[in-house]
Amino acid sequence: MNKEKKEVIFDDGQKPDSSDEEWQEWMKNMERAMMPRNNEGLISPMIFQGKPPDRMLVPTVVPDENGCAPGMFFAEDFKNGRIPSYLDYTPGYEVNPESQYVEDRFLYENNLLARAMEDLRTFATLPKDEARKTKQPNPLLVTENDVQATTSGEGEFRIVAKEDGLFVYYHSGSQWLTNFTIGIEEYRFIHTRRADVRQEFFLWISCHGNLTQIVVPAGDLDNVSSIIKKKIPEATINPQIAKNVALLVNYVRDMVEGSRRVQVFSSVGFEKINGRWVYVHDGVSPAFPNVIYHTGYTIPHVAGLSQDTAYDHMLGLLQMSTRDEIMVPLVLLMHLGPLFELFRESGHAPRFVTFLNGITGSLKTSACLCLFRLFAEQDPDKPDASFYDTKTALERKMASTTSRVLLIDDYRPPVSAFDGKMKLESLEMVIRYIGDQTGKARSSPGLDVRVQDPPSCCCVITGEDTGGSQSSLLRCLILNIEKDDINGKVLKWYQDNPMILQTHMLYFVDWCGDHAEQIIQMIRESFEEMRDSFSSDITERRQVDTGVILLLTTRVLVEYGLAVGAVSPEAAEEFYRRFQLALHKALRQSESHGKQMDPVTMYLQAIFDLTTSGKISVACDAVSYDSKRDIGFAAGDFWWLRSRDVYLAVMRYWRELGITFPLSLLRMCEALDQAKLIHVSYENRNGSKKTLYSKRAPIEGRPRMLVVDICSARQYVDETTRT
């Protein structure tokens, strides 16, 4: 509006019901209301061109309850110095003081945040061919206090940004400093789990009309001129000005205090931001001002799929196997991975490795890839790691994986002593790293010792055999899976529709974030009580704690199902009991496996593995038997074996796996006889009958050999490893 106008005609053709002096005062009130102000509400008295302004409170139009904004402002709305309801003040910057429209005159911080979210790829400098080419924006307005004043040999001077670069103004004249202009768009604080907060500046440089954005670490700000030259070869600093680089650095440093601060979270998982728990990934809406999520991972979802329907599909996973003691722990682990940080916050971080043990073709790896694929960026056909990776690669993978389930594939019986030793060392490292929740001590460049933070993920290992010491195995939840335990048709449906489970998980972590404090409190209050419920049939403390953590996860999952209306209270109670029974059964079997296998099973399993791998040889019959090459020979359903040589081979086998074989040769033969797996002979000595655990072999020399019923032996191993 033109404040010189003496008469205003409104839409109804009537003059305002006031004197000319009153109307003029209303106009002044409106003009003052439209001026930016500082945080104390004071209007900046003067403006100067030269460099980016301080953060101010600037006017913004507030739509009414119907979402409509006023078409025009009326001076009488501002009488008596009042501010009308359609006007408010938010943090921002004045960019076009000549405009009569609020939306064109000011730039708001929320718009900057939205633009920053769109430009996340600018964490690295844009390639030259992708650099946005635009006209230099209008000169920014600054207050008088913002003008840089410095004393030099020529007296006081100031640096001013113009369209074609930065200029140094003295009392005697001016000189160009650079052929580019520069500004700090954001002052970023990068939050990475297991690391100190890193600081960096997000700068824009305009040179010859081209706008380039670069990131400069806070510690390298004094090297900004060198960084600019590397990124923009045509950028020039006037060599004829003394201390030209220092002038540029000081110019940039003066912008830091008034620059916009942005918090960037770069690790997935639950973080407490501004007092609220959020599961951080790139798909999170920016619920907080000046917060950006940049992790490289997103949880996809199916548009239109409701929470209760997604929950029903999740429960459908239980149809993948008739054995709840396998599927229930895996389904719970799928939900426990994202909850890792909430359990850690409660003081009860998960400290176990899930070991899915089964032969080739049992679909163990395929099932894990389906269940534990949380993010769109995870390869649906490739595990996170395998035991073919080096120890260093495995260690780095465990350290970089946060708040999800890490899948390490393919632990299998060794094919050589060296291979067995390397795989065993890697396995022990993984189990200890996750199970003990301890970091690795390293030496920093300054030679001081720094301890790496403990892991922040759950872990699943798949393999054709378990290995490791007894204490290591008791840090595992061992799930033995057979070839027909997984329903391939059900698995294929979930493989063909992976986003069904991902949508459920997205809903689940959002709900858990909203109820995180209640979940943490529930874990703290219930942990000891739940320990008692497992102690009746589980003796190992580590196994008990594993059961408690999974049962607490069950409780969270049940509460979520009730909250979204996916299950009724009656169904939820039945669901909870079913999961509890399955966990008890799984833990009993795991504890039995981890303590120590049956010696007979250990003995026979070692013989079968050694013959399969070719480490020992059994001739097909007595005629082809060669004592230098073979350890025995087959005769029908029996193997005739040199008992001492076989026993030494079995001891070496388990010793290479870090396990001590528990029985002597005599006790081992007695156990085989009690299991009715060998043929024995008898002799009378001094009037008493003595059992001989060997028989005369039908070969030259008639040596005594151990005679094993091989069919019964294989059946024995199958039965004892299943239970």
Side-chain angles (χ1 to χ4, degrees):
M1 292 185 182
N2 185 352
K3 67 178 183 179
E4 298 299 327
K5 192 171 183 179
K6 301 297 184 181
E7 184 177 52
V8 177
I9 305 298
F10 289 83
D11 291 340
D12 58 3
Q14 301 296 318
K15 296 181 180 180
D17 185 17
S18 62
S19 65
D20 186 64
E21 290 76 11
E22 287 178 319
W23 182 83
Q24 291 287 354
E25 183 62 29
W26 299 348
M27 286 291 295
K28 291 179 181 178
N29 290 340
M30 183 170 68
E31 289 180 357
R32 282 194 292 267
M34 298 303 294
M35 294 181 67
R37 56 210 59 226
N38 59 25
N39 289 330
E40 288 74 35
L42 301 176
I43 299 173
S44 302
M46 299 180 66
I47 57 176
F48 289 86
Q49 295 184 354
K51 68 174 187 176
D54 284 336
R55 173 179 182 269
M56 297 178 288
L57 298 176
V58 297
T60 181
V61 177
V62 180
D64 59 22
E65 58 184 9
N66 297 318
C68 299
M72 64 177 64
F73 300 163
F74 296 103
E76 63 178 357
D77 294 340
F78 297 83
K79 64 183 178 180
N80 299 325
R82 70 186 182 188
I83 303 296
S85 60
Y86 57 75
L87 199 66
D88 198 2
Y89 296 89
T90 59
Y93 308 86
E94 186 173 17
V95 293
N96 188 5
E98 303 301 325
S99 175
Q100 59 178 320
Y101 302 106
V102 175
E103 57 268 27
D104 294 334
R105 182 174 172 184
F106 303 105
L107 178 63
Y108 304 104
E109 284 194 353
N110 58 345
N111 292 338
L112 280 175
L113 180 60
R115 184 175 67 187
M117 287 297 294
E118 293 173 359
D119 292 344
L120 282 176
R121 65 195 181 101
T122 58
F123 268 74
T125 304
L126 286 174
K128 186 175 180 180
D129 57 345
E130 292 185 16
R132 281 183 279 173
K133 298 185 178 182
T134 132
K135 293 182 179 179
Q136 169 74 7
N138 290 329
L140 297 173
L141 300 181
V142 300
T143 64
E144 186 175 19
N145 293 331
D146 289 327
V147 175
Q148 178 174 345
T150 309
T151 302
S152 71
E154 298 189 40
E156 193 175 84
F157 66 89
R158 59 191 176 97
I159 299 176
V160 177
K162 291 190 174 182
E163 187 169 341
D164 51 350
L166 300 178
F167 288 79
V168 184
Y169 279 79
Y170 307 94
H171 291 298
S172 59
S174 65
Q175 282 183 291
W176 69 274
L177 176 62
T178 68
N179 67 342
F180 58 87
T181 55
I182 185 172
I184 298 178
E185 188 159 336
E186 292 171 352
Y187 184 4
R188 292 176 169 176
F189 297 80
I190 315 299
H191 300 261
T192 304
R193 194 167 281 121
R194 303 186 188 88
D196 297 332
V197 177
R198 189 175 77 256
Q199 300 178 35
E200 63 186 26
F201 294 99
F202 186 32
L203 308 178
W204 59 262
I205 295 95
S206 179
C207 184
H208 300 315
N210 296 328
L211 190 65
T212 304
Q213 295 166 317
I214 64 173
V215 172
V216 176
D220 289 342
L221 198 58
D222 288 347
N223 300 321
V224 66
S225 61
S226 300
I227 296 173
I228 292 173
K229 288 179 180 178
K230 289 181 180 178
K231 301 294 183 181
I232 311 173
E234 59 270 24
T236 306
I237 302 178
N238 191 347
Q240 298 180 356
I241 296 181
K243 299 182 179 180
N244 52 2
V245 172
L247 289 176
L248 176 63
V249 170
N250 288 337
Y251 176 79
V252 175
R253 281 198 170 277
D254 284 346
M255 301 179 192
V256 172
E257 185 176 350
S259 62
R260 174 173 173 261
R261 265 66 169 171
V262 174
Q263 308 296 322
V264 180
F265 291 87
S266 60
S267 298
V268 297
F270 277 105
E271 294 275 4
K272 200 168 188 179
I273 305 173
N274 294 349
R276 175 184 168 189
W277 287 94
V278 177
Y279 188 83
V280 175
H281 62 100
D282 289 359
V284 178
S285 299
F288 307 104
N290 300 337
V291 173
I292 294 175
Y293 309 106
H294 185 66
T295 65
Y297 292 97
T298 55
I299 304 178
H301 68 282
V302 179
L305 184 66
S306 63
Q307 292 172 300
D308 55 339
T309 302
Y311 193 91
D312 288 339
H313 285 303
M314 179 276 300
L315 290 180
L317 287 169
L318 299 177
Q319 300 175 15
M320 196 179 293
S321 176
T322 57
R323 297 179 61 194
D324 275 359
E325 66 271 25
I326 292 176
M327 285 310 303
V328 166
L330 294 179
V331 169
L332 291 175
L333 192 67
M334 180 176 79
H335 295 84
L336 176 61
L339 294 180
F340 191 98
E341 290 301 325
L342 299 187
F343 273 86
R344 172 181 280 178
E345 183 71 15
S346 72
H348 299 287
R351 299 177 59 187
F352 66 94
V353 171
T354 301
F355 204 128
L356 196 57
N357 177 41
I359 63 174
T360 299
S362 56
L363 299 179
K364 56 187 182 296
T365 301
S366 298
C368 289
L369 285 170
C370 179
L371 266 67
F372 304 130
R373 187 189 176 206
L374 178 60
F375 301 113
E377 290 75 13
Q378 289 179 263
D379 192 329
D381 302 317
K382 184 179 179 181
D384 299 307
S386 81
F387 282 95
Y388 287 101
D389 297 336
T390 64
K391 288 175 62 177
T392 301
L394 286 172
E395 183 183 337
R396 294 185 64 177
K397 178 61 70 172
M398 289 187 290
S400 62
T401 302
T402 60
S403 298
R404 64 178 179 92
V405 180
L406 173 67
L407 174 58
I408 306 179
D409 191 38
D410 213 19
Y411 183 81
R412 58 177 58 189
V415 296
S416 68
F418 178 76
D419 178 65
K421 180 181 179 182
M422 296 300 293
K423 278 189 168 60
L424 179 62
E425 288 179 355
S426 296
L427 176 66
E428 290 277 358
M429 180 194 69
V430 171
I431 294 175
R432 297 286 176 165
Y433 185 79
I434 301 291
D436 291 346
Q437 283 286 300
T438 55
K440 185 172 182 178
R442 296 184 180 277
S443 177
S444 71
L447 298 183
D448 59 322
V449 176
R450 298 188 63 183
V451 178
Q452 180 181 336
D453 287 341
S456 298
C457 66
C458 295
C459 179
V460 169
I461 294 173
T462 64
E464 296 180 21
D465 191 16
T466 56
S469 63
Q470 180 178 344
S471 60
S472 291
L473 292 177
L474 290 176
R475 290 169 168 81
C476 298
L477 173 60
I478 301 171
L479 305 176
N480 292 306
I481 184 172
E482 298 297 332
K483 194 161 187 177
D484 297 325
D485 285 339
I486 298 295
N487 187 320
K489 291 183 179 179
V490 177
L491 173 60
K492 178 125 185 358
W493 187 88
Y494 283 99
Q495 288 174 327
D496 294 340
N497 300 276
M499 288 178 60
I500 297 290
L501 293 179
Q502 291 169 320
T503 301
H504 161 73
M505 292 302 298
L506 179 61
Y507 288 142
F508 177 72
V509 297
D510 285 347
W511 181 86
C512 290
D514 293 337
H515 300 82
E517 293 296 342
Q518 297 96 307
I519 293 172
I520 293 169
Q521 190 64 24
M522 182 270 292
I523 296 170
R524 288 172 177 164
E525 294 176 351
S526 305
F527 205 92
E528 290 299 329
E529 177 186 349
M530 284 190 172
R531 268 182 176 151
D532 296 336
S533 69
F534 280 96
S535 298
S536 59
D537 55 348
I538 308 297
T539 59
E540 290 294 331
R541 179 65 173 262
R542 286 183 176 274
Q543 298 283 310
V544 169
D545 286 355
T546 297
V548 172
I549 287 172
L550 290 174
L551 194 57
L552 286 168
T553 306
T554 304
R555 183 175 291 182
V556 175
L557 194 56
V558 168
E559 290 294 333
Y560 169 67
L562 288 169
V564 300
V567 292
S568 64
E570 296 78 13
E573 187 174 345
E574 181 181 351
F575 166 31
Y576 184 84
R577 283 198 302 269
R578 178 182 177 182
F579 274 42
Q580 187 176 29
L581 289 173
L583 288 175
H584 275 264
K585 186 174 182 179
L587 287 165
R588 286 196 300 269
Q589 294 178 0
S590 177
E591 184 180 48
S592 175
H593 189 113
K595 280 185 174 179
Q596 194 67 281
M597 284 193 295
D598 170 46
V600 174
T601 304
M602 293 177 68
Y603 179 86
L604 297 173
Q605 183 68 62
I607 292 175
F608 295 148
D609 288 345
L610 289 168
T611 54
T612 300
S613 63
K615 291 184 178 180
I616 61 176
S617 172
V618 177
C620 60
D621 54 40
V623 176
S624 57
Y625 169 71
D626 182 350
S627 60
K628 294 182 179 179
R629 179 193 64 202
D630 304 318
I631 207 166
F633 61 91
D637 294 333
F638 299 91
W639 280 4
W640 292 70
L641 305 172
R642 297 199 302 270
S643 58
R644 182 166 183 79
D645 292 338
V646 170
Y647 179 77
L648 293 174
V650 169
M651 289 184 65
R652 285 195 300 270
Y653 173 90
W654 289 108
R655 187 164 56 246
E656 288 176 359
L657 295 177
I659 298 174
T660 301
F661 190 75
L663 298 183
S664 65
L665 175 58
L666 177 60
R667 297 302 179 202
M668 185 67 250
C669 291
E670 290 175 348
L672 290 169
D673 183 32
Q674 290 175 2
K676 302 186 183 305
L677 298 176
I678 62 173
H679 284 195
V680 299
S681 59
Y682 304 93
E683 69 177 12
N684 292 315
R685 289 185 182 177
N686 300 323
S688 62
K689 185 178 180 181
K690 181 177 177 60
T691 303
L692 301 177
Y693 301 104
S694 60
K695 299 191 73 170
R696 292 288 181 183
I699 57 176
E700 183 180 358
R702 302 281 291 171
R704 284 194 168 272
M705 302 181 76
L706 186 69
V707 183
V708 181
D709 185 338
I710 202 64
C711 293
S712 298
R714 292 192 185 279
Q715 184 178 355
Y716 184 95
V717 171
D718 289 340
E719 291 176 353
T720 54
T721 54
R722 173 179 283 274
T723 58

